[in-house]
Amino acid sequence: GNSVTQMEGPVTLSEEAFLTINCTYTATGYPSLFWYVQYPGEGLQLLLKATKADDKGSNKGFEATYRKETTSFHLEKGSVQVSDSAVYFCALKRGGSEKLVFGKGTKLTVNP
Amino acid sequence: EAQVTQNPRYLITVTGKKLTVTCSQNMNHEYMSWYRQDPGLGLRQIYYSMNVEVTDKGDVPEGYKVSRKEKRNFPLILESPSPNQTSLYFCASSGRTTYQETQYFGPGTRLLVL
């Protein structure tokens, strides 16, 4: 079946540090891949997405590249800020379906 | 402003007392869905709807019901809540014609069943 595996958290970084959150997936066909962010007390917001192999999604300084050969979609940011503290979810959606399959989430805390 | 609204945002109830969590979207989306979020488990889909009067089970449908009588509304019904349904619930919607393939999420409903 379809599944998403994220690195377990929590992750604690100092401001301006480099961030990587690993995400790998198992899916039939060619899924679309997403990163969602959940700030404290809020719902989920789409952070970035990629719909085919080698696509790079980017937003707010975050990037992730769809790697079909390694079935991965790792989230990166070169210099994190305190305001990036949140829970990050990797997710996939198979073609022809609207269903999102989520990873378990990774909590990021950035200290000043 | 495009949005998904849920009500109530917070709810404390007792075992067996029927409750309904409402969800409404203003984007004319065909697809709507309910998820629950639990620590260490991420988000799991409860039910979804592809359009009016078309609903189907997700991964964890036991103990829940839904209806889709109008395109904009997709209420979640707990006929006889139990403590294991204590969770954070999210409604989401997306449009099949939306090029962006983005699902929009509501702000969440935190439910405590005593």
Side-chain angles (χ1 to χ4, degrees):
Chain A
N2 302 312
S3 65
V4 174
T5 302
Q6 285 181 239
M7 66 182 284
E8 293 196 17
V11 175
T12 302
L13 296 173
S14 298
E15 205 163 25
E16 299 184 2
F18 185 85
L19 168 71
T20 300
I21 301 178
N22 291 336
C23 172
T24 58
Y25 68 90
T26 301
T28 54
Y30 303 95
S32 295
L33 301 173
F34 305 81
W35 277 101
Y36 280 83
V37 58
Q38 184 181 28
Y39 298 105
E42 298 184 12
L44 277 74
Q45 302 173 25
L46 178 68
L47 181 60
L48 54 84
K49 70 178 181 76
T51 57
K52 61 183 188 296
D54 300 325
D55 266 3
K56 177 186 282 188
S58 61
N59 186 24
K60 298 181 181 180
F62 291 89
E63 293 183 340
T65 301
Y66 189 145
R67 300 286 188 200
K68 188 167 174 59
E69 64 275 12
T70 54
T71 62
S72 64
F73 193 54
H74 304 323
L75 182 68
E76 296 182 338
K77 186 174 185 182
S79 177
V80 293
Q81 306 300 311
V82 173
S83 57
D84 293 326
S85 297
V87 180
Y88 293 82
F89 291 94
C90 185
L92 68 81
K93 186 169 72 167
R94 285 191 301 115
S97 169
E98 292 295 317
K99 178 181 176 179
L100 280 168
V101 176
F102 285 91
K104 294 182 179 181
T106 303
K107 182 176 181 179
L108 170 67
T109 300
V110 181
N111 295 318
Chain B
E1 179 190 352
Q3 60 181 353
V4 178
T5 57
Q6 295 178 226
N7 282 291
R9 295 288 313 276
Y10 304 92
L11 180 60
I12 301 174
T13 190
V14 295
T15 299
K17 185 176 182 181
K18 181 180 179 179
L19 67 90
T20 299
V21 184
T22 65
C23 173
S24 182
Q25 49 95 2
N26 63 359
M27 295 166 279
N28 202 38
H29 284 162
E30 293 88 359
Y31 181 87
M32 297 185 74
S33 179
W34 277 102
Y35 296 87
R36 60 178 288 174
Q37 181 181 5
D38 301 290
L41 297 176
L43 279 85
R44 295 175 292 168
Q45 190 182 57
I46 303 170
Y47 267 94
Y48 66 95
S49 170
M50 299 299 288
N51 214 324
V52 176
E53 302 291 1
V54 180
T55 64
D56 207 346
K57 297 177 181 178
D59 298 318
V60 288
E62 294 78 21
Y64 303 95
K65 286 176 58 177
V66 293
S67 70
R68 187 90 183 272
K69 293 181 169 50
E70 306 164 283
K71 200 171 188 179
R72 63 183 293 125
N73 296 323
F74 190 46
L76 179 69
I77 303 157
L78 284 70
E79 295 267 0
S80 182
S82 62
N84 65 12
Q85 292 177 297
T86 292
S87 188
L88 178 57
Y89 293 86
F90 289 103
C91 180
S93 75
S94 64
R96 287 187 156 197
T97 57
T98 302
Y99 177 75
Q100 295 293 326
E101 283 191 82
T102 301
Q103 279 200 20
Y104 294 85
F105 283 79
T109 295
R110 189 169 292 279
L111 172 65
L112 172 62
V113 182
L114 300 173

